[in-house]
Amino acid sequence: MEEKVFGYIRKHQMIQEGDCVVAGISGGADSVCLLFLLEALRERLGFSLEAVHVEHGIRGEESLSDAGFAEQLCRQRGITFHLYSCDVPKRAAKEKLSMEEAARKCRYEAFEAVCAGKQQAKIAVAHNRDDQAETILWNLARGSGLRGMCGIRPVNGKVIRPLLEISREEIERYLQERGQGFCTDSTNLSDNYTRNRLRRNILPELEESVNRQSRMHIAQAGERIRRAQEYLEGLAARRAGELSEYCGEELRVLAKDFCREEEVMQEYMLRIWLDRPGAGMKDVGAVHLEEIKRLAAGQPGRRIELPGGRCVRRTGPYLAFGMEEASEERREETPLAVPGESRWGKYLIITSLEPNKNQNIPEKKYTKWLDYDTIKNTIQLRSRKSGDYFTADGGHRKLKKYFIDEKVLREDRNKVLLLAEGSHILWVVGFRISEVCKVTEHTKTILKIHIMEEEDYGR
């Protein structure tokens, strides 16, 4: 077993000399076996070893007992042990997650906390070949593409899975030969969870009625699919780079070039372009990819909104991939009282008029002095609109370009208060004023504007 796992680690370059391997230890057979094997190989591979147990707050005394077992096992072997406790049911309810997803999030947050500050940290988890078969069947049943049919990857960033070629039967036999006990999670015996039904009912039926090596063959198929998937991803990444270019914050692709590509390459490239803003592919399915293909083949002027705040536009000859503008912070326009007080969202705006005595005009972030003589219409308090501009360096400057240059996050731009006269922005609050309304020696009347946030004036 040790040689088999050693070879698998070397094959996938999971561990390098000097790494700190943080192993997830539940107390079950898989994780106990993982701990023993890593301990046996650490001198040979030149890494240090620590262990993490996450107590999920689900099974009461049984869960606490598992935590005690894992801690004692590590202390007996001189392995640094970290215990984290969390309330998975509460988190699942609060974030509207399944219990499995909430528990997974808690575990990986604990792993990352232990890894923090370590330059060469790896997270070792105990997924085995049976888990691989379950995952592939589960993804296939849910309508997954090739990526889902690859199953669990041996290496995913800093997460490594040294036992992925080892069966559960081999694991239990390994522990039995060493007289080592382990914990049994009672939830694994329930058919309330999808994975349990696959493990307890579907896979045993396949082995009994179809082929006794079903789990192994499914896992092997996943490995072959993974190699094909990685090859196609590489081809698609190169082609996606050749066809696309940035235009401001958007990524653009000539629609006619995209439509000439083979269908399988189109789907791979779409996934690459959609993932670009960092929203991932969560909730984006085949139906969305088909919509984008139709958009590429159709007439300009249409757009598609996608999960995760993304959108794809057909603009001129291009497909343009970007993010939807945030709208939750937009508020109705409010006229600025001059002189007087106005409110807009969390802001209190106080204005006054005073004669120009050629006094020094200080530089303050939230107090500005404007040339009131240059303002002809009512000043509006509002968030940004298409076509907004201000004057700088003797010419018009688009507000959108200014936000990009100032590195104002897209999701924050609608939160910026503007003082506007039509499309002309007099003051981008927190940033700058337009040159047109700067006080000069020719100014007769000064408009003083002071802005406070709610927490300042609400005391």
Side-chain angles (χ1 to χ4, degrees), residues 83-106:
L83 174 62
Y84 285 80
S85 295
C86 55
D87 190 337
V88 168
K90 182 177 179 180
R91 180 167 188 173
K94 182 179 179 180
E95 299 182 19
K96 298 181 180 178
L97 302 170
S98 68
M99 293 284 276
E100 298 98 314
E101 179 64 12
R104 190 192 70 81
K105 283 193 169 188
C106 288

PDB file of all heavy atoms in Angstrom, residues 83-106:
ATOM      1  N   LEU A  83      -7.995  21.491  16.177  1.00  0.00           N
ATOM      2  CA  LEU A  83      -9.425  21.193  16.277  1.00  0.00           C
ATOM      3  C   LEU A  83     -10.218  22.464  16.007  1.00  0.00           C
ATOM      4  O   LEU A  83      -9.970  23.508  16.606  1.00  0.00           O
ATOM      5  CB  LEU A  83      -9.756  20.667  17.673  1.00  0.00           C
ATOM      6  CG  LEU A  83     -11.249  20.442  17.975  1.00  0.00           C
ATOM      7  CD1 LEU A  83     -11.839  19.386  17.042  1.00  0.00           C
ATOM      8  CD2 LEU A  83     -11.457  20.066  19.427  1.00  0.00           C
ATOM      9  N   TYR A  84     -11.182  22.367  15.077  1.00  0.00           N
ATOM     10  CA  TYR A  84     -12.086  23.473  14.775  1.00  0.00           C
ATOM     11  C   TYR A  84     -13.523  22.993  14.982  1.00  0.00           C
ATOM     12  O   TYR A  84     -13.878  21.891  14.572  1.00  0.00           O
ATOM     13  CB  TYR A  84     -11.916  23.952  13.333  1.00  0.00           C
ATOM     14  CG  TYR A  84     -10.656  24.757  13.113  1.00  0.00           C
ATOM     15  CD1 TYR A  84      -9.432  24.130  12.943  1.00  0.00           C
ATOM     16  CD2 TYR A  84     -10.705  26.146  13.089  1.00  0.00           C
ATOM     17  CE1 TYR A  84      -8.276  24.866  12.759  1.00  0.00           C
ATOM     18  CE2 TYR A  84      -9.546  26.892  12.889  1.00  0.00           C
ATOM     19  CZ  TYR A  84      -8.337  26.243  12.729  1.00  0.00           C
ATOM     20  OH  TYR A  84      -7.193  26.977  12.550  1.00  0.00           O
ATOM     21  N   SER A  85     -14.327  23.834  15.610  1.00  0.00           N
ATOM     22  CA  SER A  85     -15.740  23.509  15.808  1.00  0.00           C
ATOM     23  C   SER A  85     -16.589  24.535  15.068  1.00  0.00           C
ATOM     24  O   SER A  85     -16.255  25.730  15.030  1.00  0.00           O
ATOM     25  CB  SER A  85     -16.101  23.530  17.298  1.00  0.00           C
ATOM     26  OG  SER A  85     -15.400  22.508  17.987  1.00  0.00           O
ATOM     27  N   CYS A  86     -17.663  24.081  14.463  1.00  0.00           N
ATOM     28  CA  CYS A  86     -18.557  24.986  13.748  1.00  0.00           C
ATOM     29  C   CYS A  86     -19.982  24.468  13.834  1.00  0.00           C
ATOM     30  O   CYS A  86     -20.217  23.298  14.169  1.00  0.00           O
ATOM     31  CB  CYS A  86     -18.122  25.142  12.293  1.00  0.00           C
ATOM     32  SG  CYS A  86     -17.978  23.577  11.404  1.00  0.00           S
ATOM     33  N   ASP A  87     -20.937  25.328  13.547  1.00  0.00           N
ATOM     34  CA  ASP A  87     -22.356  24.969  13.581  1.00  0.00           C
ATOM     35  C   ASP A  87     -22.852  24.869  12.139  1.00  0.00           C
ATOM     36  O   ASP A  87     -23.339  25.844  11.553  1.00  0.00           O
ATOM     37  CB  ASP A  87     -23.141  26.036  14.354  1.00  0.00           C
ATOM     38  CG  ASP A  87     -24.578  25.609  14.636  1.00  0.00           C
ATOM     39  OD1 ASP A  87     -25.098  24.739  13.909  1.00  0.00           O
ATOM     40  OD2 ASP A  87     -25.182  26.151  15.580  1.00  0.00           O
ATOM     41  N   VAL A  88     -22.708  23.680  11.566  1.00  0.00           N
ATOM     42  CA  VAL A  88     -23.075  23.480  10.162  1.00  0.00           C
ATOM     43  C   VAL A  88     -24.569  23.689   9.922  1.00  0.00           C
ATOM     44  O   VAL A  88     -24.952  24.354   8.945  1.00  0.00           O
ATOM     45  CB  VAL A  88     -22.624  22.085   9.686  1.00  0.00           C
ATOM     46  CG1 VAL A  88     -23.248  21.740   8.343  1.00  0.00           C
ATOM     47  CG2 VAL A  88     -21.099  22.048   9.573  1.00  0.00           C
ATOM     48  N   PRO A  89     -25.474  23.151  10.758  1.00  0.00           N
ATOM     49  CA  PRO A  89     -26.905  23.392  10.504  1.00  0.00           C
ATOM     50  C   PRO A  89     -27.261  24.875  10.466  1.00  0.00           C
ATOM     51  O   PRO A  89     -28.052  25.310   9.625  1.00  0.00           O
ATOM     52  CB  PRO A  89     -27.583  22.686  11.678  1.00  0.00           C
ATOM     53  CG  PRO A  89     -26.629  21.608  12.084  1.00  0.00           C
ATOM     54  CD  PRO A  89     -25.280  22.218  11.888  1.00  0.00           C
ATOM     55  N   LYS A  90     -26.671  25.662  11.366  1.00  0.00           N
ATOM     56  CA  LYS A  90     -26.955  27.101  11.395  1.00  0.00           C
ATOM     57  C   LYS A  90     -26.455  27.764  10.121  1.00  0.00           C
ATOM     58  O   LYS A  90     -27.150  28.588   9.521  1.00  0.00           O
ATOM     59  CB  LYS A  90     -26.282  27.727  12.617  1.00  0.00           C
ATOM     60  CG  LYS A  90     -26.550  29.216  12.766  1.00  0.00           C
ATOM     61  CD  LYS A  90     -25.903  29.748  14.033  1.00  0.00           C
ATOM     62  CE  LYS A  90     -26.155  31.250  14.186  1.00  0.00           C
ATOM     63  NZ  LYS A  90     -25.519  31.777  15.427  1.00  0.00           N
ATOM     64  N   ARG A  91     -25.243  27.389   9.686  1.00  0.00           N
ATOM     65  CA  ARG A  91     -24.691  27.988   8.474  1.00  0.00           C
ATOM     66  C   ARG A  91     -25.499  27.582   7.245  1.00  0.00           C
ATOM     67  O   ARG A  91     -25.745  28.401   6.359  1.00  0.00           O
ATOM     68  CB  ARG A  91     -23.232  27.575   8.294  1.00  0.00           C
ATOM     69  CG  ARG A  91     -22.600  28.166   7.053  1.00  0.00           C
ATOM     70  CD  ARG A  91     -21.111  28.034   7.028  1.00  0.00           C
ATOM     71  NE  ARG A  91     -20.531  28.767   5.916  1.00  0.00           N
ATOM     72  CZ  ARG A  91     -19.239  28.937   5.730  1.00  0.00           C
ATOM     73  NH1 ARG A  91     -18.370  28.445   6.606  1.00  0.00           N
ATOM     74  NH2 ARG A  91     -18.785  29.613   4.687  1.00  0.00           N
ATOM     75  N   ALA A  92     -25.911  26.326   7.186  1.00  0.00           N
ATOM     76  CA  ALA A  92     -26.701  25.852   6.048  1.00  0.00           C
ATOM     77  C   ALA A  92     -28.000  26.641   5.929  1.00  0.00           C
ATOM     78  O   ALA A  92     -28.408  27.036   4.828  1.00  0.00           O
ATOM     79  CB  ALA A  92     -26.985  24.362   6.198  1.00  0.00           C
ATOM     80  N   ALA A  93     -28.641  26.897   7.081  1.00  0.00           N
ATOM     81  CA  ALA A  93     -29.895  27.645   7.066  1.00  0.00           C
ATOM     82  C   ALA A  93     -29.667  29.104   6.688  1.00  0.00           C
ATOM     83  O   ALA A  93     -30.411  29.674   5.889  1.00  0.00           O
ATOM     84  CB  ALA A  93     -30.560  27.561   8.441  1.00  0.00           C
ATOM     85  N   LYS A  94     -28.612  29.698   7.238  1.00  0.00           N
ATOM     86  CA  LYS A  94     -28.332  31.113   6.994  1.00  0.00           C
ATOM     87  C   LYS A  94     -27.964  31.372   5.541  1.00  0.00           C
ATOM     88  O   LYS A  94     -28.417  32.362   4.942  1.00  0.00           O
ATOM     89  CB  LYS A  94     -27.199  31.576   7.912  1.00  0.00           C
ATOM     90  CG  LYS A  94     -26.864  33.054   7.767  1.00  0.00           C
ATOM     91  CD  LYS A  94     -25.751  33.455   8.723  1.00  0.00           C
ATOM     92  CE  LYS A  94     -25.397  34.930   8.559  1.00  0.00           C
ATOM     93  NZ  LYS A  94     -24.306  35.331   9.485  1.00  0.00           N
ATOM     94  N   GLU A  95     -27.142  30.496   4.958  1.00  0.00           N
ATOM     95  CA  GLU A  95     -26.650  30.717   3.601  1.00  0.00           C
ATOM     96  C   GLU A  95     -27.433  29.930   2.557  1.00  0.00           C
ATOM     97  O   GLU A  95     -27.072  29.909   1.383  1.00  0.00           O
ATOM     98  CB  GLU A  95     -25.160  30.362   3.527  1.00  0.00           C
ATOM     99  CG  GLU A  95     -24.298  31.211   4.447  1.00  0.00           C
ATOM    100  CD  GLU A  95     -22.816  30.884   4.332  1.00  0.00           C
ATOM    101  OE1 GLU A  95     -22.401  30.274   3.315  1.00  0.00           O
ATOM    102  OE2 GLU A  95     -22.059  31.230   5.258  1.00  0.00           O
ATOM    103  N   LYS A  96     -28.497  29.262   2.979  1.00  0.00           N
ATOM    104  CA  LYS A  96     -29.353  28.478   2.094  1.00  0.00           C
ATOM    105  C   LYS A  96     -28.547  27.431   1.318  1.00  0.00           C
ATOM    106  O   LYS A  96     -28.622  27.334   0.094  1.00  0.00           O
ATOM    107  CB  LYS A  96     -30.119  29.397   1.138  1.00  0.00           C
ATOM    108  CG  LYS A  96     -31.056  30.353   1.863  1.00  0.00           C
ATOM    109  CD  LYS A  96     -31.821  31.247   0.917  1.00  0.00           C
ATOM    110  CE  LYS A  96     -32.748  32.183   1.678  1.00  0.00           C
ATOM    111  NZ  LYS A  96     -33.492  33.102   0.795  1.00  0.00           N
ATOM    112  N   LEU A  97     -27.763  26.659   2.082  1.00  0.00           N
ATOM    113  CA  LEU A  97     -26.931  25.612   1.510  1.00  0.00           C
ATOM    114  C   LEU A  97     -27.430  24.258   1.975  1.00  0.00           C
ATOM    115  O   LEU A  97     -28.131  24.148   2.987  1.00  0.00           O
ATOM    116  CB  LEU A  97     -25.472  25.780   1.970  1.00  0.00           C
ATOM    117  CG  LEU A  97     -24.782  27.107   1.648  1.00  0.00           C
ATOM    118  CD1 LEU A  97     -23.449  27.187   2.380  1.00  0.00           C
ATOM    119  CD2 LEU A  97     -24.574  27.259   0.155  1.00  0.00           C
ATOM    120  N   SER A  98     -27.055  23.207   1.234  1.00  0.00           N
ATOM    121  CA  SER A  98     -27.295  21.861   1.751  1.00  0.00           C
ATOM    122  C   SER A  98     -26.347  21.628   2.917  1.00  0.00           C
ATOM    123  O   SER A  98     -25.331  22.317   3.070  1.00  0.00           O
ATOM    124  CB  SER A  98     -27.036  20.822   0.656  1.00  0.00           C
ATOM    125  OG  SER A  98     -25.650  20.784   0.328  1.00  0.00           O
ATOM    126  N   MET A  99     -26.676  20.650   3.762  1.00  0.00           N
ATOM    127  CA  MET A  99     -25.797  20.332   4.892  1.00  0.00           C
ATOM    128  C   MET A  99     -24.424  19.913   4.393  1.00  0.00           C
ATOM    129  O   MET A  99     -23.392  20.267   4.986  1.00  0.00           O
ATOM    130  CB  MET A  99     -26.428  19.220   5.735  1.00  0.00           C
ATOM    131  CG  MET A  99     -27.685  19.636   6.446  1.00  0.00           C
ATOM    132  SD  MET A  99     -27.368  20.651   7.892  1.00  0.00           S
ATOM    133  CE  MET A  99     -27.057  19.353   9.084  1.00  0.00           C
ATOM    134  N   GLU A 100     -24.380  19.147   3.284  1.00  0.00           N
ATOM    135  CA  GLU A 100     -23.094  18.686   2.746  1.00  0.00           C
ATOM    136  C   GLU A 100     -22.238  19.865   2.296  1.00  0.00           C
ATOM    137  O   GLU A 100     -21.036  19.913   2.572  1.00  0.00           O
ATOM    138  CB  GLU A 100     -23.310  17.724   1.567  1.00  0.00           C
ATOM    139  CG  GLU A 100     -24.052  16.439   1.927  1.00  0.00           C
ATOM    140  CD  GLU A 100     -25.523  16.533   1.589  1.00  0.00           C
ATOM    141  OE1 GLU A 100     -26.149  17.572   1.911  1.00  0.00           O
ATOM    142  OE2 GLU A 100     -26.046  15.581   1.003  1.00  0.00           O
ATOM    143  N   GLU A 101     -22.859  20.834   1.603  1.00  0.00           N
ATOM    144  CA  GLU A 101     -22.095  21.977   1.098  1.00  0.00           C
ATOM    145  C   GLU A 101     -21.625  22.870   2.247  1.00  0.00           C
ATOM    146  O   GLU A 101     -20.491  23.363   2.239  1.00  0.00           O
ATOM    147  CB  GLU A 101     -22.963  22.784   0.127  1.00  0.00           C
ATOM    148  CG  GLU A 101     -22.290  24.023  -0.456  1.00  0.00           C
ATOM    149  CD  GLU A 101     -21.085  23.726  -1.328  1.00  0.00           C
ATOM    150  OE1 GLU A 101     -20.873  22.549  -1.690  1.00  0.00           O
ATOM    151  OE2 GLU A 101     -20.342  24.674  -1.644  1.00  0.00           O
ATOM    152  N   ALA A 102     -22.494  23.088   3.237  1.00  0.00           N
ATOM    153  CA  ALA A 102     -22.096  23.903   4.382  1.00  0.00           C
ATOM    154  C   ALA A 102     -20.943  23.253   5.138  1.00  0.00           C
ATOM    155  O   ALA A 102     -20.003  23.928   5.562  1.00  0.00           O
ATOM    156  CB  ALA A 102     -23.287  24.114   5.312  1.00  0.00           C
ATOM    157  N   ALA A 103     -20.996  21.925   5.310  1.00  0.00           N
ATOM    158  CA  ALA A 103     -19.923  21.210   6.002  1.00  0.00           C
ATOM    159  C   ALA A 103     -18.625  21.293   5.213  1.00  0.00           C
ATOM    160  O   ALA A 103     -17.539  21.489   5.788  1.00  0.00           O
ATOM    161  CB  ALA A 103     -20.319  19.754   6.219  1.00  0.00           C
ATOM    162  N   ARG A 104     -18.720  21.167   3.894  1.00  0.00           N
ATOM    163  CA  ARG A 104     -17.519  21.247   3.052  1.00  0.00           C
ATOM    164  C   ARG A 104     -16.875  22.624   3.174  1.00  0.00           C
ATOM    165  O   ARG A 104     -15.649  22.755   3.311  1.00  0.00           O
ATOM    166  CB  ARG A 104     -17.882  20.972   1.597  1.00  0.00           C
ATOM    167  CG  ARG A 104     -16.667  20.796   0.686  1.00  0.00           C
ATOM    168  CD  ARG A 104     -17.060  20.817  -0.778  1.00  0.00           C
ATOM    169  NE  ARG A 104     -17.479  22.136  -1.187  1.00  0.00           N
ATOM    170  CZ  ARG A 104     -16.644  23.124  -1.511  1.00  0.00           C
ATOM    171  NH1 ARG A 104     -15.342  22.922  -1.463  1.00  0.00           N
ATOM    172  NH2 ARG A 104     -17.094  24.300  -1.856  1.00  0.00           N
ATOM    173  N   LYS A 105     -17.684  23.683   3.166  1.00  0.00           N
ATOM    174  CA  LYS A 105     -17.148  25.028   3.309  1.00  0.00           C
ATOM    175  C   LYS A 105     -16.436  25.200   4.643  1.00  0.00           C
ATOM    176  O   LYS A 105     -15.347  25.788   4.714  1.00  0.00           O
ATOM    177  CB  LYS A 105     -18.267  26.076   3.178  1.00  0.00           C
ATOM    178  CG  LYS A 105     -18.719  26.328   1.756  1.00  0.00           C
ATOM    179  CD  LYS A 105     -19.574  27.581   1.688  1.00  0.00           C
ATOM    180  CE  LYS A 105     -19.811  27.993   0.240  1.00  0.00           C
ATOM    181  NZ  LYS A 105     -20.480  29.313   0.158  1.00  0.00           N
ATOM    182  N   CYS A 106     -17.050  24.697   5.707  1.00  0.00           N
ATOM    183  CA  CYS A 106     -16.431  24.810   7.031  1.00  0.00           C
ATOM    184  C   CYS A 106     -15.088  24.079   7.070  1.00  0.00           C
ATOM    185  O   CYS A 106     -14.113  24.585   7.635  1.00  0.00           O
ATOM    186  CB  CYS A 106     -17.373  24.238   8.095  1.00  0.00           C
ATOM    187  SG  CYS A 106     -18.817  25.255   8.439  1.00  0.00           S
TER     188      CYS A 106
END
